[in-house]
Coordinates of all heavy atoms in Angstrom, one line a residue:
G1 N 18.7 -8.5 17.3 CA 17.4 -9.0 17.3 C 16.9 -9.3 16.0 O 17.6 -9.1 14.9
K2 N 15.8 -9.9 15.9 CA 15.1 -10.2 14.7 C 14.2 -9.1 14.2 O 13.6 -8.4 15.0 CB 14.4 -11.5 14.8 CG 15.2 -12.6 15.1 CD 14.5 -14.0 15.1 CE 15.4 -15.1 15.4 NZ 14.7 -16.4 15.3
R3 N 14.1 -9.0 12.9 CA 13.2 -8.0 12.3 C 11.8 -8.7 12.2 O 11.7 -9.8 11.7 CB 13.7 -7.6 10.9 CG 12.8 -6.6 10.2 CD 13.3 -6.1 8.9 NE 12.5 -5.2 8.3 CZ 12.4 -4.9 7.1 NH1 13.3 -5.5 6.2 NH2 11.7 -3.9 6.6
V4 N 10.9 -7.9 12.4 CA 9.4 -8.4 12.5 C 8.8 -7.7 11.2 O 8.9 -6.4 11.1 CB 8.6 -8.2 13.8 CG1 7.2 -8.5 13.6 CG2 9.3 -8.9 14.8
I5 N 8.1 -8.5 10.3 CA 7.4 -7.8 9.2 C 5.9 -8.2 9.5 O 5.5 -9.3 9.7 CB 7.9 -8.6 7.9 CG1 9.3 -8.4 7.7 CG2 7.0 -8.0 6.7 CD1 9.8 -7.1 7.3
F6 N 5.1 -7.2 9.3 CA 3.6 -7.3 9.4 C 3.1 -7.4 8.0 O 3.2 -6.5 7.2 CB 3.1 -6.1 10.1 CG 3.5 -5.9 11.5 CD1 4.7 -5.2 11.8 CD2 2.9 -6.6 12.6 CE1 5.1 -5.1 13.1 CE2 3.4 -6.5 13.9 CZ 4.5 -5.7 14.2
V7 N 2.3 -8.5 7.8 CA 1.8 -8.7 6.4 C 0.2 -8.9 6.6 O -0.2 -9.6 7.4 CB 2.4 -10.0 5.8 CG1 1.8 -10.3 4.4 CG2 3.9 -9.8 5.7
T8 N -0.5 -8.3 5.7 CA -1.9 -8.4 5.7 C -2.5 -8.4 4.2 O -1.8 -7.9 3.4 CB -2.7 -7.2 6.5 OG1 -4.0 -7.4 6.4 CG2 -2.2 -5.8 5.9
N9 N -3.6 -9.0 4.1 CA -4.3 -9.0 2.7 C -5.2 -7.9 2.7 O -6.1 -7.8 1.7 CB -4.8 -10.3 2.4 CG -6.0 -10.8 3.3 OD1 -6.3 -10.2 4.3 ND2 -6.8 -11.8 2.8
A10 N -5.3 -7.0 3.6 CA -6.2 -5.9 3.7 C -5.9 -4.8 2.7 O -4.9 -4.0 3.0 CB -6.4 -5.4 5.1
A11 N -6.5 -4.8 1.5 CA -6.1 -3.8 0.6 C -6.6 -2.3 0.9 O -6.2 -1.3 0.3 CB -6.7 -4.1 -0.8
A12 N -7.4 -2.2 1.9 CA -7.9 -0.9 2.3 C -6.9 -0.1 3.0 O -7.1 1.1 3.1 CB -9.2 -1.1 3.1
Q13 N -5.8 -0.8 3.5 CA -4.8 0.0 4.2 C -3.5 0.1 3.4 O -3.1 -0.8 2.6 CB -4.5 -0.8 5.5 CG -5.6 -0.6 6.5 CD -5.0 -1.0 7.9 OE1 -4.4 -2.1 8.0 NE2 -5.4 -0.2 8.8
S14 N -2.9 1.3 3.5 CA -1.6 1.5 2.9 C -0.6 1.0 4.0 O -0.9 0.9 5.2 CB -1.4 2.9 2.6 OG -1.4 3.8 3.8
R15 N 0.7 0.9 3.7 CA 1.8 0.6 4.6 C 1.7 1.7 5.7 O 1.9 1.4 6.9 CB 3.1 0.5 3.9 CG 3.2 -0.7 3.1 CD 4.5 -0.7 2.3 NE 4.3 0.3 1.2 CZ 5.3 0.8 0.5 NH1 6.5 0.3 0.6 NH2 5.1 1.8 -0.4
K16 N 1.6 2.9 5.3 CA 1.6 4.0 6.3 C 0.4 3.9 7.3 O 0.7 4.0 8.5 CB 1.6 5.4 5.5 CG 1.5 6.6 6.5 CD 1.5 7.9 5.8 CE 1.4 9.0 6.8 NZ 1.3 10.3 6.2
S17 N -0.8 3.7 6.8 CA -1.9 3.5 7.7 C -1.8 2.3 8.7 O -2.1 2.4 9.8 CB -3.3 3.6 7.0 OG -3.4 2.4 6.2
L18 N -1.2 1.2 8.1 CA -1.0 0.0 8.9 C 0.0 0.3 10.0 O -0.2 -0.1 11.1 CB -0.6 -1.1 8.0 CG -0.4 -2.5 8.8 CD1 -1.6 -2.9 9.6 CD2 0.1 -3.5 7.8
S19 N 1.2 0.9 9.6 CA 2.2 1.2 10.6 C 1.6 2.1 11.7 O 1.9 1.9 12.9 CB 3.5 1.8 10.0 OG 3.2 3.1 9.5
E20 N 0.8 3.1 11.4 CA 0.2 4.0 12.4 C -0.8 3.2 13.3 O -0.8 3.4 14.5 CB -0.5 5.1 11.7 CG 0.4 6.1 11.0 CD -0.3 7.1 10.1 OE1 -1.6 7.0 9.9 OE2 0.4 8.0 9.6
K21 N -1.6 2.3 12.7 CA -2.5 1.5 13.5 C -1.8 0.6 14.5 O -2.2 0.5 15.6 CB -3.4 0.6 12.5 CG -4.4 -0.2 13.2 CD -5.2 -1.0 12.3 CE -6.2 -1.9 13.0 NZ -7.1 -2.6 12.0
L22 N -0.7 0.0 14.0 CA 0.0 -0.9 14.9 C 0.7 -0.2 16.0 O 0.8 -0.6 17.2 CB 1.1 -1.7 14.0 CG 0.5 -2.7 13.1 CD1 1.6 -3.2 12.1 CD2 -0.1 -3.9 13.9
T23 N 1.2 1.0 15.7 CA 1.8 1.8 16.8 C 0.7 2.3 17.8 O 0.9 2.1 19.0 CB 2.4 3.1 16.2 OG1 3.5 2.7 15.3 CG2 3.0 4.1 17.2
K24 N -0.5 2.6 17.4 CA -1.6 2.9 18.3 C -2.0 1.7 19.1 O -2.4 1.9 20.2 CB -2.8 3.5 17.5 CG -2.7 4.8 17.0 CD -3.9 5.2 16.3 CE -3.6 6.6 15.6 NZ -4.9 7.1 14.8
L25 N -1.8 0.5 18.6 CA -2.2 -0.7 19.4 C -1.0 -1.1 20.3 O -1.2 -2.1 21.0 CB -2.5 -1.9 18.4 CG -3.7 -1.8 17.6 CD1 -3.7 -2.9 16.5 CD2 -4.9 -1.9 18.4
G26 N 0.1 -0.4 20.3 CA 1.1 -0.6 21.3 C 2.4 -1.2 20.8 O 3.3 -1.5 21.6
F27 N 2.4 -1.5 19.5 CA 3.7 -2.0 18.9 C 4.6 -0.8 18.8 O 4.3 0.2 18.3 CB 3.4 -2.7 17.6 CG 2.6 -4.0 17.7 CD1 1.3 -4.0 17.5 CD2 3.3 -5.2 17.8 CE1 0.5 -5.1 17.6 CE2 2.7 -6.4 17.9 CZ 1.2 -6.3 17.8
E28 N 5.9 -1.1 19.2 CA 6.9 0.1 19.2 C 7.6 0.1 17.8 O 8.0 -0.9 17.2 CB 7.9 -0.2 20.3 CG 7.2 -0.1 21.7 CD 8.3 -0.3 22.7 OE1 9.6 -0.1 22.4 OE2 7.9 -0.6 23.8
A29 N 7.8 1.3 17.3 CA 8.6 1.7 16.2 C 8.3 0.9 15.0 O 9.2 0.3 14.4 CB 10.1 1.7 16.7
V30 N 7.1 0.8 14.6 CA 6.7 0.0 13.4 C 6.8 1.0 12.2 O 6.1 2.0 12.1 CB 5.3 -0.6 13.5 CG1 4.9 -1.3 12.2 CG2 5.1 -1.5 14.6
A31 N 7.8 0.8 11.4 CA 8.0 1.6 10.1 C 7.2 1.1 9.0 O 6.8 -0.1 9.0 CB 9.5 1.6 9.8
E32 N 6.9 2.0 8.1 CA 6.2 1.6 6.9 C 6.9 0.4 6.2 O 6.3 -0.4 5.6 CB 6.1 2.7 5.9 CG 5.1 3.9 6.3 CD 5.1 5.0 5.5 OE1 5.1 4.8 4.2 OE2 5.0 6.2 5.9
T33 N 8.2 0.5 6.2 CA 9.0 -0.6 5.5 C 9.0 -1.9 6.3 O 9.4 -3.0 5.7 CB 10.5 -0.3 5.4 OG1 10.9 0.0 6.8 CG2 10.7 1.0 4.5
D34 N 8.3 -2.0 7.5 CA 8.1 -3.2 8.2 C 6.7 -3.8 7.9 O 6.2 -4.8 8.5 CB 8.1 -3.0 9.7 CG 9.5 -2.5 10.2 OD1 10.5 -2.9 9.5 OD2 9.6 -1.8 11.0
C35 N 5.9 -3.2 6.9 CA 4.5 -3.6 6.6 C 4.5 -3.9 5.1 O 5.0 -3.3 4.3 CB 3.6 -2.4 6.9 SG 3.6 -1.9 8.7
V36 N 3.7 -4.9 4.9 CA 3.4 -5.4 3.5 C 1.9 -5.6 3.5 O 1.3 -6.3 4.3 CB 4.1 -6.7 3.1 CG1 3.7 -7.1 1.7 CG2 5.6 -6.5 3.2
T37 N 1.2 -4.9 2.6 CA -0.2 -5.0 2.3 C -0.5 -5.6 1.0 O 0.4 -5.5 0.0 CB -1.0 -3.7 2.5 OG1 -0.7 -2.9 1.5 CG2 -0.6 -3.1 3.9
S38 N -1.7 -6.0 0.7 CA -1.9 -6.4 -0.7 C -1.9 -5.2 -1.6 O -1.6 -5.4 -2.8 CB -3.2 -7.2 -0.8 OG -4.3 -6.4 -0.3
A39 N -2.2 -4.1 -1.1 CA -2.2 -2.8 -1.9 C -0.7 -2.5 -2.3 O -0.4 -2.2 -3.4 CB -2.8 -1.7 -1.2
S40 N 0.2 -2.6 -1.3 CA 1.6 -2.3 -1.6 C 2.2 -3.4 -2.5 O 3.0 -3.0 -3.4 CB 2.4 -2.3 -0.3 OG 2.5 -3.5 0.4
A41 N 1.7 -4.6 -2.4 CA 2.2 -5.7 -3.4 C 1.8 -5.5 -4.8 O 2.5 -5.6 -5.7 CB 1.7 -7.1 -2.9
A42 N 0.5 -4.9 -4.9 CA 0.0 -4.6 -6.2 C 0.8 -3.4 -6.8 O 1.3 -3.5 -8.0 CB -1.5 -4.2 -6.2
G43 N 1.1 -2.4 -6.0 CA 1.9 -1.3 -6.6 C 3.3 -1.8 -6.9 O 3.9 -1.4 -8.0
S44 N 3.9 -2.5 -6.1 CA 5.3 -3.1 -6.4 C 5.3 -3.9 -7.6 O 6.2 -3.9 -8.4 CB 5.8 -4.0 -5.2 OG 5.9 -3.2 -4.1
Y45 N 4.3 -4.7 -7.8 CA 4.2 -5.6 -9.0 C 4.1 -4.8 -10.2 O 4.7 -5.0 -11.2 CB 3.0 -6.5 -8.9 CG 2.7 -7.4 -10.1 CD1 3.3 -8.5 -10.4 CD2 1.8 -6.9 -11.1 CE1 3.2 -9.1 -11.6 CE2 1.5 -7.5 -12.2 CZ 2.2 -8.6 -12.5 OH 2.1 -9.3 -13.7
L46 N 3.2 -3.8 -10.2 CA 3.0 -2.9 -11.4 C 4.3 -2.3 -11.7 O 4.7 -2.1 -12.9 CB 1.9 -1.9 -11.2 CG 0.5 -2.4 -11.3 CD1 -0.5 -1.3 -11.0 CD2 0.3 -2.8 -12.8
K47 N 5.1 -1.7 -10.8 CA 6.3 -0.9 -11.1 C 7.3 -2.0 -11.5 O 8.1 -1.6 -12.4 CB 6.7 -0.3 -9.8 CG 7.6 0.9 -10.0 CD 6.7 1.9 -10.8 CE 7.5 3.2 -11.0 NZ 6.9 3.9 -12.2
A48 N 7.4 -3.2 -11.0 CA 8.4 -4.1 -11.4 C 8.1 -4.7 -12.8 O 9.0 -4.8 -13.6 CB 8.5 -5.2 -10.4
Q49 N 6.9 -5.1 -13.0 CA 6.6 -5.8 -14.3 C 6.2 -4.9 -15.4 O 6.2 -5.3 -16.6 CB 5.4 -6.7 -14.0 CG 5.8 -7.8 -13.0 CD 6.9 -8.7 -13.5 OE1 7.0 -9.1 -14.6 NE2 7.9 -9.0 -12.6
H50 N 5.7 -3.6 -15.1 CA 5.3 -2.7 -16.1 C 5.8 -1.3 -15.6 O 5.1 -0.4 -15.3 CB 3.8 -2.6 -16.1 CG 3.1 -3.9 -16.4 ND1 3.1 -4.5 -17.6 CD2 2.6 -4.9 -15.5 CE1 2.5 -5.7 -17.6 NE2 2.2 -6.0 -16.3
P51 N 7.2 -1.1 -15.8 CA 7.7 0.1 -15.2 C 7.4 1.4 -15.9 O 7.6 2.5 -15.4 CB 9.3 -0.2 -15.4 CG 9.4 -1.3 -16.4 CD 8.1 -2.1 -16.3
D52 N 6.8 1.3 -17.1 CA 6.4 2.5 -17.8 C 5.0 3.0 -17.4 O 4.5 4.0 -17.9 CB 6.5 2.3 -19.3 CG 7.9 2.0 -19.8 OD1 8.9 2.5 -19.1 OD2 8.1 1.3 -20.8
T53 N 4.4 2.3 -16.5 CA 3.0 2.6 -16.1 C 3.0 3.9 -15.3 O 3.7 4.1 -14.4 CB 2.4 1.5 -15.2 OG1 2.4 0.3 -16.0 CG2 1.0 1.9 -14.8
K54 N 2.2 4.8 -15.8 CA 2.1 6.2 -15.2 C 0.8 6.4 -14.5 O 0.6 7.1 -13.6 CB 2.4 7.3 -16.2 CG 3.8 7.2 -16.9 CD 4.8 7.4 -15.8 CE 6.2 7.4 -16.6 NZ 7.2 6.9 -15.7
T55 N -0.2 5.7 -15.2 CA -1.6 5.9 -14.5 C -2.3 4.5 -14.6 O -1.8 3.6 -15.3 CB -2.5 6.8 -15.3 OG1 -2.6 6.2 -16.7 CG2 -2.1 8.2 -15.4
A56 N -3.2 4.3 -13.6 CA -3.8 2.9 -13.6 C -5.3 3.1 -13.1 O -5.6 3.9 -12.1 CB -3.2 2.0 -12.6
Y57 N -6.2 2.6 -13.9 CA -7.7 2.6 -13.4 C -7.8 1.5 -12.3 O -7.4 0.4 -12.5 CB -8.6 2.3 -14.5 CG -10.1 2.5 -14.2 CD1 -10.6 3.7 -14.4 CD2 -10.8 1.4 -13.8 CE1 -12.0 3.9 -14.0 CE2 -12.1 1.5 -13.5 CZ -12.6 2.8 -13.5 OH -14.0 2.9 -13.2
F58 N -8.3 1.8 -11.2 CA -8.4 0.9 -10.1 C -9.9 0.8 -9.5 O -10.6 1.8 -9.6 CB -7.4 1.0 -9.1 CG -7.8 2.1 -8.1 CD1 -8.2 1.7 -6.8 CD2 -7.7 3.4 -8.4 CE1 -8.6 2.7 -5.9 CE2 -8.0 4.4 -7.4 CZ -8.5 4.0 -6.2
V59 N -10.2 -0.3 -9.1 CA -11.4 -0.4 -8.2 C -11.0 -0.9 -6.8 O -10.4 -2.0 -6.7 CB -12.4 -1.5 -8.8 CG1 -13.6 -1.6 -8.0 CG2 -12.8 -1.0 -10.2
G60 N -11.1 -0.1 -5.9 CA -10.6 -0.4 -4.5 C -10.8 0.8 -3.6 O -11.4 1.7 -3.9
E61 N -10.1 0.7 -2.4 CA -10.2 1.6 -1.4 C -9.0 2.6 -1.4 O -8.0 2.4 -2.2 CB -10.5 1.0 0.0 CG -11.8 0.2 -0.1 CD -12.2 -0.3 1.3 OE1 -12.1 0.5 2.3 OE2 -12.7 -1.3 1.4
Q62 N -9.0 3.5 -0.5 CA -8.0 4.5 -0.4 C -6.6 4.0 -0.3 O -5.6 4.5 -0.8 CB -8.3 5.6 0.7 CG -7.4 6.8 0.7 CD -7.5 7.6 -0.6 OE1 -8.6 7.9 -1.1 NE2 -6.4 7.9 -1.1
G63 N -6.5 2.9 0.5 CA -5.1 2.2 0.6 C -4.5 1.9 -0.7 O -3.3 2.0 -0.9
L64 N -5.3 1.4 -1.6 CA -4.7 1.0 -2.9 C -4.3 2.2 -3.6 O -3.2 2.3 -4.3 CB -5.7 0.2 -3.7 CG -5.3 -0.3 -5.1 CD1 -4.1 -1.1 -5.0 CD2 -6.4 -1.2 -5.7
A65 N -5.2 3.3 -3.6 CA -4.8 4.6 -4.3 C -3.5 5.1 -3.7 O -2.7 5.5 -4.4 CB -6.0 5.5 -4.1
D66 N -3.4 5.1 -2.5 CA -2.2 5.6 -1.7 C -0.9 4.8 -2.2 O 0.1 5.4 -2.4 CB -2.4 5.6 -0.2 CG -3.4 6.5 0.3 OD1 -3.8 7.4 -0.4 OD2 -3.8 6.4 1.5
E67 N -1.0 3.5 -2.3 CA 0.1 2.8 -2.6 C 0.5 2.9 -4.0 O 1.7 2.9 -4.4 CB -0.1 1.3 -2.3 CG -0.1 0.9 -0.8 CD 1.3 1.2 -0.2 OE1 2.3 1.2 -0.9 OE2 1.3 1.4 1.0
L68 N -0.5 3.0 -4.9 CA -0.2 3.4 -6.3 C 0.6 4.7 -6.4 O 1.6 4.8 -7.1 CB -1.4 3.4 -7.2 CG -2.2 2.0 -7.5 CD1 -3.5 2.3 -8.0 CD2 -1.3 1.1 -8.2
Q69 N 0.1 5.6 -5.7 CA 0.8 6.9 -5.7 C 2.2 6.8 -5.2 O 3.2 7.5 -5.7 CB 0.0 8.0 -5.0 CG -1.3 8.3 -5.6 CD -2.0 9.4 -4.8 OE1 -2.1 9.2 -3.6 NE2 -2.8 10.3 -5.5
C70 N 2.5 6.0 -4.2 CA 3.8 5.7 -3.6 C 4.7 5.2 -4.6 O 5.9 5.4 -4.5 CB 3.8 4.9 -2.3 SG 3.1 5.7 -0.8
H71 N 4.2 4.4 -5.6 CA 5.0 3.8 -6.7 C 5.1 4.7 -7.8 O 5.5 4.2 -9.0 CB 4.5 2.4 -6.9 CG 4.9 1.4 -5.8 ND1 4.0 1.3 -4.8 CD2 5.8 0.7 -5.6 CE1 4.5 0.4 -3.9 NE2 5.6 -0.1 -4.5
G72 N 4.6 5.9 -7.8 CA 4.7 6.9 -8.9 C 3.6 6.6 -10.0 O 3.8 7.0 -11.1
I73 N 2.5 6.0 -9.5 CA 1.4 5.7 -10.5 C 0.2 6.5 -10.1 O -0.3 6.5 -8.9 CB 1.0 4.2 -10.5 CG1 2.3 3.4 -10.9 CG2 -0.1 3.9 -11.4 CD1 2.2 1.9 -10.6
T74 N -0.4 7.3 -11.0 CA -1.6 8.0 -10.7 C -2.8 7.2 -10.8 O -3.1 6.6 -11.8 CB -1.7 9.2 -11.7 OG1 -0.5 10.0 -11.6 CG2 -2.9 10.0 -11.4
P75 N -3.6 7.1 -9.6 CA -4.8 6.2 -9.7 C -5.9 6.9 -10.3 O -6.2 8.1 -10.0 CB -5.0 5.9 -8.2 CG -4.4 7.1 -7.4 CD -3.2 7.5 -8.3
L76 N -6.6 6.2 -11.1 CA -7.8 6.8 -11.8 C -9.0 5.9 -11.5 O -8.9 4.7 -11.2 CB -7.7 6.8 -13.2 CG -6.5 7.7 -13.8 CD1 -6.5 7.5 -15.4 CD2 -6.6 9.1 -13.5
G77 N -10.3 6.5 -11.4 CA -11.5 5.7 -11.3 C -12.1 5.7 -9.9 O -13.1 5.2 -9.7
Q78 N -11.4 6.4 -9.0 CA -11.9 6.4 -7.6 C -13.3 6.9 -7.5 O -14.1 6.4 -6.8 CB -11.0 7.2 -6.7 CG -11.1 6.9 -5.2 CD -9.9 7.4 -4.5 OE1 -9.1 8.2 -5.0 NE2 -9.7 7.0 -3.2
T79 N -13.7 8.0 -8.2 CA -14.9 8.6 -8.1 C -16.0 7.7 -8.9 O -17.2 7.8 -8.7 CB -14.9 10.0 -8.8 OG1 -14.5 9.9 -10.2 CG2 -14.1 10.9 -7.9
D80 N -15.6 6.8 -9.7 CA -16.6 6.0 -10.5 C -17.2 4.9 -9.6 O -18.3 4.4 -9.9 CB -15.9 5.2 -11.6 CG -15.3 6.1 -12.7 OD1 -15.8 7.4 -12.7 OD2 -14.5 5.8 -13.5
T81 N -16.6 4.5 -8.4 CA -17.0 3.4 -7.6 C -17.6 3.8 -6.4 O -18.2 3.0 -5.6 CB -15.9 2.4 -7.4 OG1 -14.9 3.0 -6.7 CG2 -15.4 1.9 -8.6
G82 N -17.5 5.2 -6.0 CA -18.0 5.6 -4.8 C -19.5 5.5 -4.6 O -20.1 5.3 -3.7

C-alpha cells in the first residue's frame, strides 16, 4: 500500500497531538512519523541548519515548544507571551 502523510500549517499542534487527534477522528494507526506540522518543520530546520542550538526563544503555542524539545532544543519565553 501507499504511505499517507498528514501535513498541516497549524503550529499549535505537535506531531504527537496531531496523530492522537487523527486517531480519535477514526484514522487507523497514525504514527507521529506520519505527521508534519509547521512546528515540527521549524524544529527540524533549526536542528539541520543550526545543529549547535541548545535553547531558543520562541513566540508560539505548546505544539512549537513540544517540537523544539523533541529536537533537543530547550524552548524559552513561553511565560512572556501568556
Side-chain angles (χ1 to χ4, degrees):
K2 294 185 179 186
R3 182 176 179 200
V4 176
I5 305 289
F6 297 90
V7 180
T8 179
N9 67 345
Q13 290 197 310
S14 65
R15 290 172 292 169
K16 180 180 179 184
S17 66
L18 180 59
S19 69
E20 290 170 354
K21 180 179 180 177
L22 290 168
T23 300
K24 286 179 185 176
L25 291 172
F27 291 91
E28 293 182 22
V30 178
E32 291 178 38
T33 55
D34 297 329
C35 299
V36 178
T37 68
S38 55
S40 67
S44 294
Y45 172 83
L46 280 174
K47 207 57 178 167
Q49 298 299 314
H50 305 281
D52 295 331
T53 300
K54 300 293 181 216
T55 60
Y57 186 89
F58 81 103
V59 177
E61 297 190 39
Q62 188 61 45
L64 181 54
D66 293 345
E67 287 296 336
L68 290 173
Q69 289 176 327
C70 285
H71 288 88
I73 301 168
T74 301
L76 303 175
Q78 199 164 16
T79 57
D80 297 343
T81 60

